[in-house]
Amino acid sequence: MIRGVIFDLDGVILSTDDFHYQAWKKLADRLKIPFDREKNNRLRGVSRMASLDIVLEGYTFSEEEKLAFAEEKNNTYRVLLNTLTPEFVNNDVRDTLDELKSRGIKIAIGSSSKNTKLILSRVGLLNAFNAIADGTDIKNSKPDPEVFLIAAQRIGLEPKECIVVEDAFAGIDAAVAGGFVPVAIGDACAHKKAKYRITVLSDLLKIVE
Ligand code: BG6
Ligand code: MG
């Protein structure tokens, strides 16, 4: 019996892929390191420092330099996030969240991003969820299930009572590792362990009757 839905943020509720791309690209260009959209796709669902390691693949820098680069990227990214408006979240997403709530389903965010609350507040969804677990709460990033386990605890449910909706392979792995019902959208639909595959968020309403 499904009593809760935990949503990944980037790529599920809205897409900030292009902002990540622009911010990493600016850093990579300054360092004269090649970076393209294909590489950017590999950063989906991956923590900030792990993303940096992918961006810097083949190049060696000290830990101190890497921390400074991550901060530089994040500063560029946050300037871009400030251009977000409620229009970045489509009506299918908003209607689905409303319908789930009206069916008595608890809804939560489980995101690796430390910018989760800034993003949700820019798009007018900061108070839309029963709970938020994000990059500021966790020690271990996806594929570790920590962020989803915290979200489930905050909505007072067991993992097996919750769907996790993910667009990243690492997120589906995390959902499986935590004992959640893994639902894939977008790229994650190619993951063999997804229990359901959806095209738009409102497809969830057929799974959660
Ligand atoms: C995830 C994104 O949601 O958050 C990743 O899919 C990103 O691409 C990660 O690296 C960490 O984000 P932030 O905002 O903490 O740098
Ligand atoms: Mg995602």
Side-chain angles (χ1 to χ4, degrees), residues 8 10 20 43-48 51 73-74 77 111-115:
D8 172 48
D10 286 342
H20 280 296
L43 311 183
R44 209 171 286 148
V46 178
S47 75
R48 192 181 306 164
S51 295
K73 180 268 173 177
N74 194 48
Y77 180 57
S111 167
S112 312
S113 172
K114 293 183 174 165
N115 292 298

Side-chain angles (χ1 to χ4, degrees), residues 2 7 37 52 66 72 81 97 100 107 114 119 150 191 196 199:
I2 296 299
F7 297 90
R37 284 184 189 275
L52 178 66
K66 290 208 286 189
E72 182 179 334
L81 289 180
L97 298 179
L100 287 170
I107 58 172
K114 293 183 174 165
I119 294 170
I150 293 171
H191 197 304
Y196 300 95
T199 312

Side-chain angles (χ1 to χ4, degrees), residues 17-33:
D17 268 9
D18 198 58
F19 293 164
H20 280 296
Y21 172 73
Q22 289 180 53
W24 285 124
K25 178 77 178 146
K26 188 172 173 196
L27 174 71
D29 284 354
R30 185 176 77 67
L31 300 174
K32 301 198 170 26
I33 290 175

Side-chain angles (χ1 to χ4, degrees), residues 27-34 49 52-70 72:
L27 174 71
D29 284 354
R30 185 176 77 67
L31 300 174
K32 301 198 170 26
I33 290 175
M49 291 310 287
L52 178 66
D53 284 336
I54 295 173
V55 173
L56 301 180
E57 252 169 17
Y59 296 80
T60 309
F61 292 96
S62 69
E63 279 312 303
E64 205 181 348
E65 285 172 311
K66 290 208 286 189
L67 284 172
F69 294 159
E72 182 179 334

Side-chain angles (χ1 to χ4, degrees), residues 111-140:
S111 167
S112 312
S113 172
K114 293 183 174 165
N115 292 298
T116 294
K117 288 185 179 151
L118 169 63
I119 294 170
L120 289 175
S121 95
R122 291 293 322 173
V123 299
L125 286 178
L126 190 56
N127 300 313
F129 296 89
N130 299 106
I132 295 169
D134 67 20
T136 64
D137 292 307
I138 55 172
K139 287 194 190 73
N140 308 297

Side-chain angles (χ1 to χ4, degrees), residues 8-12 44-45 166-168:
D8 172 48
L9 179 63
D10 286 342
V12 173
R44 209 171 286 148
E166 261 293 347
D167 72 313

